[in-house]
Amino acid sequence: QAVLSMKEQIVDWKVFAAWVETEGSLDAAIDFKLNPRTGTYWVRVVRAILIAQSERTPLEALQRFLMENEIHSYLRLIKPSRTALSKKSYYRLEIQRIEDIDKIVENIKDNLLTEKAKTQVNFYLHTRHMTSPELRSEFLQDWLESRKNKRRRGRKGHNHVY
């Protein structure tokens, strides 16, 4: 059996799910910022599906599959900062539009095998339609506690990533 190159490989939702599980993630980061005038916290939620790879060709095949399914994505070359531990550049496929993430999650959720990926999907689905006040009431206390603990250990941090 000949191994197909990525340009010839057929990508389907099972293959895409495997890429998300092994080389990517479904990120949902909740960031809080204190409004000094009112004393309340602003809530910002960043959601994205990210798949990283040192080779560009496999990500181009995944991006073609997404375009065939009318899903918008970005393919970026990520260069390390001067302070980064790894000095190697890599490519990252990014899906950031909520409607595109919804479509992907719907198509891959039954094909996920790892608990980490299932947890990411469940958290995304749980918080997908939450309003800022709902997010604040559910996650602010945990976020404040995590900041307090990080300060005790001498670490910086402001994002609560699930």
Side-chain angles (χ1 to χ4, degrees), residues 53-68:
Q53 176 71 13
S54 60
E55 299 291 325
R56 183 181 177 102
T57 308
L59 297 181
E60 287 174 338
L62 295 174
Q63 189 174 40
R64 276 193 303 279
F65 171 72
L66 292 173
M67 286 185 340
E68 290 167 6

Side-chain angles (χ1 to χ4, degrees), residues 76-82 84 86-90:
R76 302 181 193 274
L77 174 62
I78 307 298
K79 295 183 179 182
S81 67
R82 283 181 274 160
S86 174
K87 299 299 180 193
K88 294 181 80 177
S89 296
Y90 62 93

Side-chain angles (χ1 to χ4, degrees), residues 30-84:
I30 300 172
D31 188 20
F32 296 95
K33 185 174 182 175
L34 181 62
N35 180 341
R37 196 171 45 96
T38 64
T40 60
Y41 283 87
W42 291 319
V43 180
R44 184 177 68 116
V45 180
V46 179
R47 295 182 176 103
I49 293 176
L50 307 172
I51 302 173
Q53 176 71 13
S54 60
E55 299 291 325
R56 183 181 177 102
T57 308
L59 297 181
E60 287 174 338
L62 295 174
Q63 189 174 40
R64 276 193 303 279
F65 171 72
L66 292 173
M67 286 185 340
E68 290 167 6
N69 286 279
E70 300 177 357
I71 294 173
H72 188 267
S73 63
Y74 301 95
L75 185 54
R76 302 181 193 274
L77 174 62
I78 307 298
K79 295 183 179 182
S81 67
R82 283 181 274 160
T83 59

